[in-house]
Amino acid sequence: MKLHIDIDCFFVSAHRIDNKKYQNIPIAVGNRSNLSIFDINSEKKDFSMIDGAFTSSIVSDNQNKSFEEYFIDKNKKMKGIITTSSYEARKYGIKTTMSVKEALRLCPHLIVLPPNYKLYHDISHKFKLLLEKEIPQIEQFSIDEFFCDLCGWVSDDDIYDFALRLKNKIFQELSLPVSIGISNSKWIAKLATEDAKPYGIRYIKDEDIYNYTKDKSISEFPGIGKAYQNRLKKYNISTLGQIRSNKKLFYSWGKFGIQLYNRVCGTDNEKILLNQDKKSIGLGRSFEPLYNREELKRRIIILSRHLCFIANKDNHSPLTYALQITYQYQNKNKSYINTNREFNELYLKQQMILLFDKIDTHPTHGVVQINLTLSNFKKSKHITMDILNYEEDNKMKKLSDSMHKLRDKFGIDIIKSAEEIKNNNR
């Protein structure tokens, strides 16, 4: 039997741990694109203890910033969106991705807090440590979600009581309210968690899966996004029961169709994923339309430094570098290179700038987003690297490693290149 555990209103719950004044009132956490990474002045940043592609490795906090400092820009305009809201706030119609301005119009006494990602990562890490003491097999699915496998550990007859004790223990030790879904299927358990909220438990036995799922909308099932929903609606499929009735259709769609069908039926038999290796790491930022190409290149260099630090911290040696830019009209261009050069900061920066020159096919358009990705990690030290550039690469790698040691000790902004501190007109 498997559990899916989700922290209720995680960001809000995190702020409530040491601030009891936030209990039982409408409260939300908002967010703006974090552009402080591009500031010439140094910013305090921390390295997350959480592993996983779902979260950034470098985090910063805004705990000392007021609402005005974080959400009001230099032109006195309110910026930002809601990322999480309490159940008290949701009664007023507050929703995720709603603008902060709209949320305050619906609920003028709503308290909107700046995010504190360091706090969230620290709490998530403590949450994981607690679960590891209670359950032998766990999978961290997101910063606030875990799958747990109790097969051979807790009998089916005792599973509900175990989940109840675990829920109470989490609240007693961490002051975190969690909801728990239980099923033999990971994805039915995750679906059940939504019905367990807030602060509840929902147990779906095998014989109850059909009646439980048959009338549910396809939009409720994990993994069925809007694009796939639109595809299914062309076949007049809008409920999970209708998916179940169309086995032949889904099996004709190949691997993903078969996988989705079995997940909906609760017959997927997917195991908990332990010690997952990262397939890639990335870093990006969104911002107001930016036309200055020199400033864009400066930002790419800064993101490259941070991404190189993450890769070095995780002992990754990527062989594929990718860059994607998004223009203000949502046109996207991307490209990548495969290399056998020894990974180092200078070479990464050079290649990312070359990729930008290659993909910036609309030089008069404003750019609103930059994303850098490293992948294809070298599995063995015995892979033959570029012989012609071996001496230079080895020298640059040693320099890069030395800089990262200083950054690890004194902060990632302790050493910057000259290109980073240019004060370009933005």
Side-chain angles (χ1 to χ4, degrees), residues 183-185 188 191 204-215 240 244 263-267:
S183 176
N184 267 319
S185 163
I188 298 299
L191 185 66
I204 307 299
K205 298 179 180 180
D206 289 349
E207 58 268 28
D208 298 327
I209 290 177
Y210 175 72
N211 286 331
Y212 172 64
T213 61
K214 65 183 178 69
D215 296 323
L240 299 182
R244 195 176 186 123
R263 285 180 175 182
V264 168
C265 294
T267 56

Side-chain angles (χ1 to χ4, degrees), residues 273-289:
L273 301 177
L274 306 173
N275 302 318
Q276 304 172 64
D277 292 330
K278 287 185 179 180
K279 302 298 183 183
S280 65
I281 53 176
L283 192 63
R285 286 294 186 273
S286 300
F287 35 80
E288 298 294 324

Side-chain angles (χ1 to χ4, degrees), residues 335-360:
S335 188
Y336 67 92
I337 65 158
N338 290 317
T339 179
N340 62 348
R341 295 283 294 270
E342 193 71 54
F343 182 65
N344 65 77
E345 185 175 320
L346 178 61
Y347 184 67
L348 174 64
K349 290 176 178 177
Q350 291 172 343
Q351 295 308 306
M352 286 298 180
I353 294 300
L354 290 175
L355 284 174
F356 176 76
D357 288 336
K358 175 183 176 181
I359 65 177
D360 185 23

